[in-house]
Amino acid sequence: MSTTSADSATSTNRLLEALSRSDYQRILPSLRPFRLMFGEVIYEPNKLIRHIYFPSSGIISLLAVAEERSTLEVGLIGQEGMAGVAVFMGVKTSRHSAVVQGDGKALRMRTNEFNKECDNGGSLSRVLRRYSHSLLTQVSQAAVCNRFHPIEARLAKWLMMTRERMGTNEFKLTQDFLSNMLGVRREGVSKAARILQDQKLISYSRGTLKILKAAKLEASACHCYKILKAETADAF
């Protein structure tokens, strides 16, 4: 894990931006810049949550672990939210694995400092209640999506959500990583990606995926994407 010097604690995290100015200024000394590195595990199942993360860029995936090597993504966190909602709900350990899925930056806060701020009745608690609902919607919608929707539509949804949070049409991805995200075999990921490539919606080469036609890719995504997009927009 790597940190950077606190030259600037200016946040582009939407959750922090939704705080009152006085509350934000009060917690500012507790926020430390943190570099999100692709593939880094920031939470492990049943391990103590020591820090809360507020991404300003990059992506954190919440993965449910079924068996030792079987995972399924149930939540995606970018600049619209934070990792560590369980702490706000009174839980000290993580029930999921949290993995950095896209390089970026975050501000992180010690759990004890976060709890102290949540207990003072300021705007952080109010904002987090609404964001918690948004994240729970993601988790519940993931169950529906994984059960009823074809892989290529789920992949299109996932790519659009990643694009939204990363603010770019191009990002690093491996087929193994996508396999874990979507909960399917690597062959299934290859077939779904090939369908989208044949339609000229994406290109994929040497671990780099590029979205070529965002509007058409959105049209190929399952209806879950619109539900989750609207939920995120309503959170602030």
Side-chain angles (χ1 to χ4, degrees):
M1 287 188 245
S2 57
T3 57
T4 59
S5 60
D7 297 323
S8 170
T10 302
S11 171
T12 54
N13 177 275
R14 289 177 60 194
L15 195 153
L16 290 178
E17 288 179 337
L19 300 180
S20 69
R21 182 174 181 80
S22 60
D23 285 348
Y24 180 70
Q25 290 298 322
R26 186 173 57 253
I27 70 171
L28 197 54
S30 300
L31 297 170
R32 297 288 184 271
F34 184 88
R35 176 71 66 174
L36 297 172
M37 306 293 287
F38 179 77
E40 182 175 12
V41 179
I42 61 171
Y43 297 148
E44 293 185 63
N46 304 314
K47 296 292 182 67
L48 193 66
I49 299 175
R50 299 184 183 277
H51 293 93
I52 307 300
Y53 297 83
F54 300 92
S56 55
S57 60
I59 296 287
I60 298 171
S61 291
L62 297 180
L63 305 176
V65 181
E67 298 173 4
E68 186 177 350
R69 294 191 177 183
S70 298
T71 60
L72 178 65
E73 184 180 82
V74 294
L76 198 59
I77 300 165
Q79 62 179 357
E80 84 296 339
M82 73 168 214
V85 165
V87 175
F88 175 64
M89 296 180 175
V91 179
K92 295 182 179 180
T93 57
S94 178
R95 298 296 187 265
H96 302 103
S97 174
V99 181
V100 178
Q101 177 250 303
D103 290 340
K105 298 178 181 179
L107 293 173
R108 79 174 187 177
M109 189 177 189
R110 294 180 187 274
T111 300
N112 62 324
E113 294 173 321
F114 173 80
N115 282 329
K116 183 178 178 181
E117 180 61 29
C118 288
D119 289 342
N120 76 7
S123 59
L124 181 60
S125 293
R126 172 182 55 78
V127 170
L128 284 175
R129 282 195 294 272
R130 187 63 187 85
Y131 174 67
S132 297
H133 182 272
S134 176
L135 192 59
L136 286 171
T137 300
Q138 261 202 74
V139 174
S140 60
Q141 200 66 35
V144 175
C145 192
N146 294 332
R147 172 64 178 84
F148 294 108
H149 297 150
I151 299 173
E152 61 270 19
R154 289 164 50 199
L155 176 58
K157 176 204 73 172
W158 188 87
L159 292 174
M160 288 302 297
M161 290 178 66
T162 300
R163 174 183 182 267
E164 237 172 45
R165 288 157 175 78
M166 293 274 301
T168 178
N169 284 316
E170 188 172 324
F171 27 84
K172 291 189 299 183
L173 281 178
T174 65
Q175 288 193 350
D176 285 340
F177 199 87
L178 274 175
S179 176
N180 286 331
M181 295 305 99
L182 299 172
V184 297
R185 296 169 65 95
R186 183 171 172 174
E187 293 80 1
V189 172
S190 297
K191 182 179 178 181
R194 191 161 53 248
I195 290 172
L196 298 180
Q197 285 186 92
D198 289 346
Q199 294 173 356
K200 304 274 194 284
L201 303 183
I202 66 170
S203 65
Y204 182 73
S205 177
R206 297 179 181 178
T208 299
L209 188 143
K210 186 174 183 179
I211 295 175
L212 303 176
K213 299 176 181 177
K216 291 188 176 180
L217 184 64
E218 180 175 349
S220 298
C222 59
H223 185 61
C224 295
Y225 173 67
K226 290 185 177 179
I227 294 173
L228 297 176
K229 186 176 181 179
E231 176 64 30
T232 299
D234 289 343
F236 301 101

